[in-house]
């Protein structure tokens, strides 16, 4: 099921500005070395988990786009140093009475802070509807909490592999229970 309709990334690592508008249930990024494919995935990891790499918090000075930094230094616009990730979600069958069909959440990391500011377009999207903004924001929080995104770098050690397998097992178990089609107690995976 398509959950993400659009992704916009500003000033993150090698990405000055990128807008991805054609998202499906399965998306494949291809390109040469150092084209920025991994940085798209790391930006999503930053949005969902406040980490750039596996268990690595954002480091603004390493993660801020170098081209933008050069512009900022030339123009003396230090207040414009930020990393921003904006995702437009498709609600799907979740919270149909409290969220619009599409909505956008923006998270922005400013220089000197590891905690992002968050904004959304719910007020604009709810105009002309009977949906309460307070209820929509509560539903948005639950919606975002229900999503699980895991950035998986090249697997180089057993600790990371075990972490991923445990996470996968838990996600499959929870999905099976929610759908009511978990058969038996087969909750082991072979490596």
């Amino acid at each position: 099921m398509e959950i993400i309709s659009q992704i916009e990334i500003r000033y993150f690592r090698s990405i000055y500005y990128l807008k991805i508008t054609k998202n499906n249930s399965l998306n494949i990024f291809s390109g040469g070395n150092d084209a920025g494919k991994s940085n798209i995935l790391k930006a999503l990891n930053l949005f969902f988990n406040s980490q750039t790499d596996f268990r690595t918090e954002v480091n603004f000075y390493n993660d801020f786009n170098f081209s933008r930094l050069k512009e900022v230094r030339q123009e003396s616009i230090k207040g414009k140093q930020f990393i921003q990730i904006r995702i437009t979600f498709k609600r799907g069958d979740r919270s149909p009475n409290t969220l619009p069909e599409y909505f956008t959440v923006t998270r922005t990391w400013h220089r000197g802070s590891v905690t992002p500011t968050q904004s959304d377009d719910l007020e604009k999207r709810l105009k002309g509807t009977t949906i309460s903004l307070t209820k929509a924001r509560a539903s948005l929080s639950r919606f975002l909490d229900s999503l699980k995104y895991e950035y998986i770098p090249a697997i180089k050690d057993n600790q990371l592999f075990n972490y991923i397998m445990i996470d996968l097992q838990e996600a499959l178990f929870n999905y099976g229970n929610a759908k009511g089609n978990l058969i038996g107690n087969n909750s082991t995976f072979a490596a």
Side-chain angles (χ1 to χ4, degrees), residues 109-147:
W109 288 259
H110 295 277
R111 181 178 151 217
S113 176
V114 295
T115 305
T117 59
Q118 179 174 302
S119 61
D120 60 61
D121 66 349
L122 288 177
E123 188 170 359
K124 177 179 122 183
R125 297 222 187 216
L126 293 175
K127 278 190 177 164
T129 71
T130 59
I131 301 172
S132 153
L133 182 59
T134 304
K135 286 183 180 180
R137 289 238 163 90
S139 282
L140 173 61
S141 184
R142 286 190 302 275
F143 178 89
L144 292 173
D145 288 345
S146 74
L147 300 178

Side-chain angles (χ1 to χ4, degrees), residues 3 12 17 24 29 33 36 43 47 50-51 53 65 73 106 108 121 123-124 127 164 172 175 185 191:
I3 294 175
F12 180 70
Y17 175 76
N24 298 304
F29 299 105
N33 290 342
F47 182 91
S50 295
Q51 298 176 351
D53 284 307
N65 179 270
R73 286 181 176 159
T106 304
T108 305
D121 66 349
E123 188 170 359
K124 177 179 122 183
K127 278 190 177 164
I164 292 166
L172 290 173
Y175 178 79
N185 191 14

Side-chain angles (χ1 to χ4, degrees), residues 12-173:
F12 180 70
R13 294 191 173 192
S14 65
I15 300 170
Y16 185 87
Y17 175 76
L18 176 67
K19 185 175 190 176
I20 302 169
T21 57
K22 295 189 181 202
N23 294 295
N24 298 304
S25 296
L26 175 66
N27 298 284
I28 299 172
F29 299 105
S30 64
N33 290 342
D34 292 330
K37 302 176 301 289
S38 293
N39 285 339
I40 295 169
L41 303 176
K42 289 177 182 185
L44 289 171
N45 196 43
L46 180 58
F47 182 91
F48 287 109
N49 301 316
S50 295
Q51 298 176 351
T52 53
D53 284 307
F54 181 70
R55 294 188 177 164
T56 304
E57 285 187 353
V58 63
N59 179 329
F60 194 89
Y61 299 101
N62 292 335
D63 296 323
F64 187 58
N65 179 270
F66 184 70
S67 296
R68 181 62 178 159
L69 180 61
K70 287 192 330 189
E71 287 177 358
V72 166
R73 286 181 176 159
Q74 289 174 352
E75 299 171 14
S76 296
I77 49 175
K78 297 200 184 303
K80 300 224 178 192
Q81 292 186 41
F82 62 88
I83 297 167
Q84 187 175 76
I85 302 161
R86 175 177 290 139
I87 298 179
T88 301
F89 292 96
K90 182 177 181 182
R91 177 197 69 220
D93 58 0
R94 302 174 186 206
S95 306
N97 298 324
T98 53
L99 284 174
E101 184 178 3
Y102 290 92
F103 53 91
T104 301
V105 177
T106 304
R107 291 187 175 161
T108 305
W109 288 259
H110 295 277
R111 181 178 151 217
S113 176
V114 295
T115 305
T117 59
Q118 179 174 302
S119 61
D120 60 61
D121 66 349
L122 288 177
E123 188 170 359
K124 177 179 122 183
R125 297 222 187 216
L126 293 175
K127 278 190 177 164
T129 71
T130 59
I131 301 172
S132 153
L133 182 59
T134 304
K135 286 183 180 180
R137 289 238 163 90
S139 282
L140 173 61
S141 184
R142 286 190 302 275
F143 178 89
L144 292 173
D145 288 345
S146 74
L147 300 178
K148 177 94 172 145
Y149 176 86
E150 196 69 55
Y151 169 70
I152 303 174
I155 298 175
K156 297 177 182 173
D157 66 10
N158 283 337
Q159 181 183 5
L160 177 58
F161 181 78
N162 289 334
Y163 172 82
I164 292 166
M165 291 307 292
I166 289 167
D167 230 23
L168 178 60
Q169 180 180 0
E170 181 180 303
L172 290 173
F173 182 78

